[in-house]
Amino acid sequence: MARRIAIVEDESAIRENYADVLRKQGYEVQTFANRREAMRAFDLRLPNLAIIDIGLENEIDGGFTLCQSLRSMSETLPIIFLTARDNDFDTVSGLRMGADDYLTKDISLPHLSARIAALFRRQDALNLPTSPENLLQRDNLVLDIGRLTVQWDGTPVPLTVTEFWMVHALVKFPGHVKSRQVLMQESKIFVDGSTITSHVKRIRRKFIQVDAAFDCIETVYGMGYRWNTTMTTASPES
């Protein structure tokens, strides 16, 4: 049975362009121009994944409201924000409301498709036993590449798909500096340097919520970031 994807986007040309590409890939796609239409459909049947813009017709933050409603209906439904709003406040707000990823509309369609496939793969893999060959361990850190999950000292760290691949890029070669451009390429996003900085800040905060002493992500000023398995001094967030 085909996966069902809901697209909630008030610009018809953009909405249908996304829908056309995803239908050609074998997905069943529902499209909605506003939050009210989407909620009427979701009350009857939830999709397998939702792609949501933030501004929806006359509701400047309608996508945020919709995300909260969806997350209250299902804790596991994959939700992607796809929006032109790329400021840090909106990104943090969207992720705190329960979205699995936050992408800007300058992302290419192949990369959007890859992100959707990754979310479905992660959802499917959560019900499967962990495969040892998919594990990458660095001291207290364990990455499950098959399930796209992260644990720190045995405690899950709730990273988005984008954040997972950024951490993966850093921990593959501890001590090696990764530039913002490399992190962008390996996490398959195309944003400015300040957005990469914001992602790193959120990743740090999520690890610190699990372990207040976490300090493995070091800022190398003018160059990028590196993962240090043992650090004596942590660089300030930036």
Side-chain angles (χ1 to χ4, degrees):
M1 183 179 296
R3 307 264 196 173
R4 287 176 292 104
I5 296 177
I7 300 174
V8 190
E9 161 66 60
D10 59 353
E11 293 188 41
S12 59
I14 294 176
R15 183 174 66 243
E16 294 311 316
N17 187 33
Y18 291 146
D20 184 55
V21 169
L22 294 176
R23 286 183 181 123
K24 289 177 179 177
Q25 294 175 5
Y27 295 112
E28 179 184 328
V29 182
Q30 298 171 285
T31 60
F32 306 97
N34 57 61
R35 180 180 62 85
R36 291 175 297 280
E37 289 178 6
M39 278 306 302
R40 279 197 294 269
F42 297 159
D43 282 336
L44 297 175
R45 188 186 188 192
L46 286 176
N48 298 120
L49 180 145
I51 300 172
I52 305 172
D53 194 4
I54 296 176
L56 296 172
E57 292 187 342
N58 61 337
E59 293 185 289
I60 190 170
D61 291 330
F64 285 153
T65 305
L66 180 58
C67 178
Q68 289 177 304
S69 298
L70 278 172
R71 188 52 73 220
S72 69
M73 297 165 77
S74 171
E75 294 183 359
T76 59
L77 172 71
I79 301 172
I80 298 175
F81 275 113
L82 185 59
T83 176
R85 287 160 58 169
D86 61 355
N87 63 78
D88 194 44
F89 177 80
D90 283 330
T91 307
V92 172
S93 297
L95 296 174
R96 284 179 176 172
M97 288 173 186
D100 294 277
D101 222 336
Y102 189 106
L103 308 172
T104 53
K105 289 181 179 177
D106 53 359
I107 190 171
S108 70
L109 289 170
H111 285 149
L112 173 61
S113 299
R115 193 66 94 252
I116 291 169
L119 281 170
F120 280 139
R121 188 171 74 251
R122 181 170 71 174
Q123 190 177 41
D124 291 341
L126 290 175
N127 298 319
L128 300 175
T130 296
S131 176
E133 61 266 23
N134 285 332
L135 297 182
L136 176 61
Q137 186 162 3
R138 298 287 186 265
D139 295 332
N140 294 350
L141 179 78
V142 178
L143 271 70
D144 189 327
I145 299 168
R147 303 173 74 182
L148 300 182
T149 58
V150 176
Q151 289 191 351
W152 178 262
D153 201 18
T155 301
V157 183
L159 300 183
T160 68
V161 171
T162 296
E163 292 165 350
F164 175 89
W165 287 118
M166 289 182 68
V167 171
H168 180 264
L170 290 169
V171 304
K172 278 193 303 184
F173 303 104
H176 290 208
V177 178
K178 296 285 186 176
S179 69
R180 289 173 174 82
Q181 182 66 30
V182 168
L183 290 178
M184 206 184 308
Q185 291 169 351
E186 297 203 20
S187 55
K188 296 181 175 62
I189 56 173
F190 296 92
V191 294
D192 58 23
S194 64
T195 303
I196 293 295
T197 299
S198 298
H199 277 295
V200 173
K201 286 182 178 180
R202 284 193 299 277
I203 291 168
R204 280 196 181 112
R205 289 182 191 128
K206 288 181 178 182
F207 276 99
I208 289 171
Q209 287 173 353
V210 171
D211 179 359
F214 174 84
D215 63 355
C216 289
I217 299 177
E218 179 186 5
T219 300
V220 182
Y221 291 101
M223 298 178 66
Y225 302 92
R226 67 180 161 207
W227 183 275
N228 287 328
T229 54
T230 303
M231 290 182 62
T232 56
T233 305
S235 299
E237 282 195 5
S238 62

